[in-house]
Amino acid sequence: MIQITLETQVSDIATALPKSTDLFRNLRIDFCCGGKVSLQKAAEARNLDPAEVLDLIKEVEEKSERRESMAPASFGEKTLIAYIQEKYHEELERELPALTPYITKVARVHGDGHPHLLRVQEIFKTLRAELLDHTADEDKNVFPLILEFLNNPSAELKEQVRPHIFELEEEHENAGRLLNELRDITNNFTPPDDACGTYRTVYARLEQLEKDTFEHVHLENNVLFDRVRAKM
């Protein structure tokens, strides 16, 4: 991570801290075509206080760092589930809708010259629908059932939990296949040399989505679900 100051170019901030693009978008600071200017100048051009904008960026940066600093595998079941929901489920609910217009724009503007972007758009659309349905089912139905089973591992509850675990792991595998295809068709999320800022942002955020999803799946399959299987 670069050291972000008022002299850092907006485009460099967007590259190093992809989530900052949502802030730039809300503040109407151009991080794409007009991003090769310092944060100071970009803020002043929008009649914003540069120091206040920098503070907002630092908040985004600190939130990202806090999420990386925890050791969730050591948490109790209730805390682990709450962690998964806060870090991954709530983040997906924010990130997937927020990323959609960027992907739509890149596919529309650059799809003719880079036709794989149309497949990127298709994969993302499928991932968005499946991941949001998946996490909603976990939050509403599966996680409460898991907690009930772990607190009272009866034969009846075991038979209720077992098919859910099997189904969720299948859904995890499908998400992994889609993410692997995304990595393949984007050349490991490497944008072309002439890619604009939005194009680069899409690749950076898709790579972050891949990272977060694999961590998310690991915690469920190899930590939470293993605890369930240990009591079956």
Side-chain angles (χ1 to χ4, degrees):
M1 176 67 69
I2 62 173
Q3 180 69 30
I4 299 174
T5 71
L6 289 175
E7 297 307 311
T8 307
Q9 288 191 346
V10 171
S11 59
D12 290 340
I13 297 172
T15 299
L17 189 64
K19 292 299 178 62
S20 67
T21 58
D22 286 335
L23 175 62
F24 289 142
R25 190 180 182 197
N26 289 335
L27 297 177
R28 298 184 65 187
I29 290 176
D30 184 359
F31 63 88
C32 181
C33 301
K36 299 295 187 182
V37 297
S38 70
L39 181 63
Q40 172 98 26
K41 291 181 179 178
E44 290 172 348
R46 294 288 306 140
N47 294 318
L48 300 169
D49 183 331
E52 290 182 1
V53 175
L54 180 61
D55 286 343
L56 291 173
I57 291 171
K58 292 293 186 181
E59 288 179 12
V60 174
E61 185 178 33
E62 288 168 8
K63 187 175 181 180
S64 297
E65 289 174 350
R66 282 199 303 273
R67 285 200 296 264
E68 297 298 324
S69 66
M70 305 174 78
S74 64
F75 296 165
E77 287 82 15
K78 189 173 182 179
T79 303
L80 175 60
I81 286 175
Y83 175 83
I84 289 171
Q85 290 174 315
E86 180 178 352
K87 174 165 182 169
Y88 300 109
H89 291 195
E90 292 178 11
E91 177 63 15
L92 283 172
E93 290 173 4
R94 289 188 295 266
E95 174 65 358
L96 293 174
L99 184 50
T100 298
Y102 295 123
I103 290 181
T104 300
K105 179 180 179 181
V106 168
R108 184 182 69 249
V109 174
H110 301 285
D112 288 343
H114 303 272
H116 73 282
L117 292 172
L118 301 178
R119 178 58 182 158
V120 168
Q121 187 178 28
E122 290 176 358
I123 294 172
F124 178 78
K125 183 178 180 181
T126 301
L127 269 173
R128 173 179 172 171
E130 291 185 357
L131 287 173
L132 291 179
D133 285 349
H134 176 93
T135 54
D137 180 47
E138 287 182 330
D139 291 343
K140 182 179 179 180
N141 302 308
V142 184
F143 284 171
L145 185 59
I146 284 176
L147 285 175
E148 186 179 1
F149 171 73
L150 290 174
N151 288 327
N152 177 31
S154 66
E156 180 183 354
L157 287 173
K158 179 176 74 173
E159 293 309 309
Q160 292 181 46
V161 169
R162 191 193 306 274
H164 285 292
I165 299 297
F166 179 77
E167 181 181 6
L168 291 176
E169 289 185 328
E170 281 197 328
E171 292 174 359
H172 288 164
E173 287 185 13
N174 187 57
R177 284 192 292 269
L178 291 171
L179 288 166
N180 286 333
E181 184 180 350
L182 270 182
R183 178 168 283 278
D184 287 342
I185 67 176
T186 59
N187 188 27
N188 296 314
F189 302 107
T190 305
D193 292 340
D194 61 347
C196 69
T198 303
Y199 198 146
R200 294 178 183 278
T201 292
V202 163
Y203 273 27
R205 289 173 72 159
L206 285 174
E207 188 168 26
Q208 185 66 47
L209 175 65
E210 178 200 61
K211 177 179 181 293
D212 289 346
T213 301
F214 287 155
E215 291 175 356
H216 178 186
V217 168
H218 164 71
L219 283 180
E220 291 188 2
N221 283 6
N222 303 323
V223 180
L224 181 61
F225 296 169
D226 273 2
R227 295 182 190 181
V228 174
R229 280 186 283 263
K231 293 198 175 185
M232 285 185 170

